[in-house]
Each structure stands twice: as C-alpha cells, then as structure tokens.
C-alpha cells in the first residue's frame, strides 16, 4: 500500500526532471543577410533624412496618400530643395529643407507659402 503512494510521487519527480532539462538549450536565431542589409539601410535613411539641429519647413500634415501627393508636387515646384515624408503619430508630415539659420529658413518659407499656404517653420529639436 505504501508503494502505491510513493509511485505517483516518483513518477512526478522523474517527469519534472525531464522538463527542467528541456529548458536549458539556447537557440540562436539566424537572420538572413538580406534582412540585415534592409535594417541597416533603414537606419541610414532615417538618421540622414531628419536632422534635428537644423530648421525645417513643414509643408503638409495629414494622411499618407495626401502626403505623398504633396511631396511629389513640392519636388516638381522646388527640385533644388530636399524633402521627405515622416510618420508622426497618427498622421504623416512632409518636411522640407535643412536650414542652418532661422533667417534662411524664413526666406524659403515666404516663397513656399505661395504654393503651400499651410506651411510652417519648425525649430530644431521639435
């Protein structure tokens, strides 16, 4: 009778011992080289497209498809100035230029406001 009580306990101990050894293996995740290259390219474009220590002009704020249309229109009107679309929760922004001084940014803002009346100047770090 006593053996019948010990048997389930021993069985449970044996089963728990097996499970505890099953958790020791460390698995290394192998990323394909193409994914590593894509992640690195994304990091480079994100860091270079928005410079936070310079003035930018916000051309548009809204939905993604409208932002892309505004970017295309801006690039046709001002091909010499760089511009990009940035996601800002919950909408998208179209930012143009990386101006060192506020005076330079305000000069460009006056000419841009003729075509994009809702444009505004963004200070560095904003």
């Amino acid at each position: 009778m006593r053996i019948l009580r010990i048997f389930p306990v021993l069985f449970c101990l044996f089963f728990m011992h097996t499970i505890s050894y099953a958790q020791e293996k460390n698995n290394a995740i192998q990323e394909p080289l193409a994914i590593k290259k894509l992640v690195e390219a994304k990091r480079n474009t994100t860091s270079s497209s928005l410079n936070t220590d310079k003035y930018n002009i916000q051309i548009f704020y809204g939905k993604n498809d409208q932002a892309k249309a505004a970017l295309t229109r801006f690039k046709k009107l001002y091909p010499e100035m760089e511009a990009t679309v940035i996601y800002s929760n919950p909408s998208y922004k179209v930012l143009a230029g990386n101006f060192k001084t506020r005076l330079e940014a305000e000069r460009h803002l006056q000419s841009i406001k003729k075509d994009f009346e809702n444009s505004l100047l963004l200070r560095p770090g904003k």
Side-chain angles (χ1 to χ4, degrees), residues 6-79:
I6 294 175
F7 183 70
V9 172
L10 290 175
F11 181 75
C12 287
L13 286 174
F14 176 75
F15 184 69
M16 295 301 286
H17 180 268
T18 309
I19 291 175
S20 67
Y21 277 110
Q23 300 297 324
E24 287 184 11
K25 179 104 177 166
N26 291 333
N27 292 331
I29 298 173
Q30 298 291 327
E31 279 186 352
L33 185 61
I35 290 178
K36 288 181 182 179
K37 288 181 181 178
L38 285 173
V39 169
E40 187 63 32
K42 174 64 176 163
R43 282 188 191 135
N44 291 338
T45 57
T46 302
S47 64
S48 66
S49 66
L50 183 61
N51 196 345
T52 58
D53 63 339
K54 296 184 180 182
Y55 289 90
N56 293 316
I57 298 173
Q58 180 177 310
I59 305 298
F60 178 81
Y61 182 81
K63 295 183 180 179
N64 186 24
D65 54 341
Q66 295 170 343
K68 288 180 181 178
L71 178 66
T72 305
R73 182 173 163 232
F74 180 81
K75 286 188 175 184
K76 285 181 184 176
L77 294 172
Y78 303 96

